[in-house]
Amino acid sequence: QRYCQDTYRGQLASVHSSARNQELQKLARTYNTFLSPWIGAVTSCRTGKWESHWEDSSPWNYANWAPTQPLHIVTTCTTLSIRDGLWRSRFCLQLRPFICQY
């Protein structure tokens, strides 16, 4: 998120529809990487309950989690699978490609 803000003056992408999810999945596929990229969803424990939110503070009105996701263990960031378009929780310190919107 910090790199996206500092370098591109943007935010990690937020996804608010199935069409947008498919568009970003298709975009990510064009970069010939095996790693699923970061999007801007974070899952954390707030006021005693687990919830997901977008880094850009936009409304949480769409989700496309893989089965058993998101994880509710520690705060996690989210990847968009280039293979199936589903979202998965990952530890935030992993180096991965990312989708920045600006």
Side-chain angles (χ1 to χ4, degrees), residues 12-54:
L12 286 175
S14 54
V15 184
H16 300 285
S17 69
S18 175
R20 176 81 166 148
N21 198 71
Q22 289 174 346
E23 176 187 326
L24 295 179
Q25 180 188 2
K26 222 187 269 186
L27 174 71
R29 277 190 184 148
T30 66
Y31 284 91
N32 291 328
T33 178
F34 295 108
L35 285 174
S36 296
W38 295 118
I39 56 173
V42 175
T43 302
S44 59
C45 193
R46 292 176 160 184
T47 61
K49 70 176 202 195
W50 288 96
E51 55 185 52
S52 300
H53 65 275
W54 293 112

Side-chain angles (χ1 to χ4, degrees), residues 67-86:
T68 75
Q69 300 285 321
L71 299 178
H72 293 154
I73 305 166
V74 294
T75 295
T76 55
C77 297
T78 305
T79 60
L80 168 65
S81 171
I82 56 176
R83 189 174 37 84
D84 59 19
L86 296 174

